[in-house]
Amino acid sequence: MAEATQEFGEWPLKRLMTEVVGSGPKSAADMDHAQAREAFERILADEPDPTTFGAFMLANRWKRNNPEELSAFTDVMREQSVVTAEPDADPVDCGANYDGKADTAILGVAAGAVAAAAGTPIVIHSGDRIPSQKSDSYKHVLDELGVRTDLEPEESADMVDEVGVGYYYQPNFNPGVDDIWERRDQMGVRTFVNTVETLANPANADVHLGSFYHLPFALKMTNTLREAETQDVSRVLMFQGLEGYDDVRPGSTVVAEWSEGDEEVADFEIETPEYGMDFESEDLEVDDVAADSATITEEVLAGDRDDQFADAVAVNAALRMYAREDVDTLDDGLDVARETIESGDAEAVLDDLQSF
């Protein structure tokens, strides 16, 4: 048995590999909450040998983490790394995958501006070229728009309150996770850190909006938030996102919904053609994700487009309003979104973002 250390405990990563998680995808066991906590504490403290770190990360990728493990990782991250700054507003936390999108436009900045103009405050957060994909994310669209992104958490909270949309930058609000960027990059694949970093919730929001490829992952994420001890999320809305991002996928799309007090996570399907998105995912592809997304954002909010991008922005804005229960139905949200764009209020939010 490994000797306990004063700082951690009895479960160094090598022992966890040998006795719990490292025997293979079919035979590996799950860690209990205490083991998972200690593992991530050691990782954030830069304690493991690089070889053991890589082996542990791959073993967890192969066996797949359950909500108990993910909630433990999330709690350690929130306790030891995340610097929260809570705005006076009660925003929707938009947790898009930090490693970004490679092919299709990022519509969350535009959708967030529309939702904010309609009275639904929005928080977005990301890093910069996060492994493994290292593609464009919220930060890069905002940079193209001339919006400040290298903000301290308190500045981000002020942005939410003053503008209606606020951006939190991972190196400034989650420095411990940012410190392991290079090790993650050397892995060459996504790891559980890609999952839990989207749950950092730097604004302590009550509502989380996220995305998934398959419904079981949405259930896992929702149960992770329900079991986490360091945040009190009362409502979760997740949908099948394009490239795993928080832009709804055209076509028949599953939405998972949970509110505090519900015993189970509800799920339902929406047919996006019924909401104006009568096109294919390929129709949202662009040549330069960051630059083209910024141009699309400006043109949609100015009312200069009535194409598939404008329709997709309206639907995504409606989902954000619905997540916070500011509208009763997606149909109501869609009407509000289109009226908000037509009135010029959404463009004014973008102007405020650019001048913040």
Side-chain angles (χ1 to χ4, degrees), residues 212-229:
F212 60 90
Y213 286 107
H214 304 292
L215 182 59
F217 184 78
L219 300 178
K220 182 184 293 188
M221 292 290 278
T222 302
N223 287 328
T224 295
L225 285 168
R226 292 171 69 176
E227 293 184 26
E229 299 174 354

Side-chain angles (χ1 to χ4, degrees), residues 100-266:
K101 296 176 78 174
D103 299 310
T104 58
I106 294 173
L107 305 174
V109 175
V114 174
T120 300
I122 299 293
V123 163
I124 53 180
H125 45 96
S126 73
D128 189 0
R129 309 294 178 201
I130 296 299
S132 61
Q133 186 163 282
K134 296 195 286 188
S135 293
D136 292 325
S137 65
Y138 274 126
K139 171 179 169 43
H140 308 106
V141 179
L142 292 168
D143 286 343
E144 290 285 343
L145 288 166
V147 177
R148 290 175 58 211
T149 55
D150 190 3
L151 300 168
E152 293 301 320
E154 289 294 342
E155 293 179 295
S156 300
D158 290 341
M159 181 183 277
V160 177
D161 287 329
E162 294 181 23
V163 178
V165 182
Y167 175 74
Y168 288 69
Y169 184 38
Q170 186 185 53
N172 295 340
F173 77 81
N174 198 353
V177 167
D178 183 62
D179 285 345
I180 61 173
W181 186 99
E182 186 173 352
R183 285 195 174 190
R184 294 171 63 187
D185 189 38
Q186 292 299 318
M187 292 294 303
V189 294
R190 300 180 89 249
T191 70
F192 67 78
V193 181
N194 291 81
T195 300
V196 300
E197 67 188 352
T198 68
L199 304 180
N201 194 5
N204 285 333
D206 293 328
V207 179
H208 177 79
L209 180 141
S211 64
F212 60 90
Y213 286 107
H214 304 292
L215 182 59
F217 184 78
L219 300 178
K220 182 184 293 188
M221 292 290 278
T222 302
N223 287 328
T224 295
L225 285 168
R226 292 171 69 176
E227 293 184 26
E229 299 174 354
T230 54
Q231 53 181 310
D232 187 17
V233 174
S234 62
R235 182 164 164 79
V236 179
L237 189 79
M238 302 192 73
F239 55 79
Q240 286 178 297
L242 194 54
E243 295 187 71
Y245 219 69
D246 60 359
D247 300 318
V248 69
R249 186 182 70 184
S252 180
T253 296
V254 176
V255 178
E257 180 178 8
W258 174 82
S259 296
E260 191 172 29
D262 293 345
E263 291 294 327
E264 302 292 338
V265 179

Side-chain angles (χ1 to χ4, degrees), residues 9 27 60 71 79 110 163 169 318 324 347:
S27 59
N60 279 273
S71 65
E79 291 167 0
V163 178
Y169 184 38
R324 192 171 176 265
E347 185 178 28

Side-chain angles (χ1 to χ4, degrees), residues 281-292:
S281 297
E282 292 77 11
D283 295 318
L284 296 176
E285 291 182 355
V286 291
D287 294 325
D288 184 319
V289 172
D292 292 344

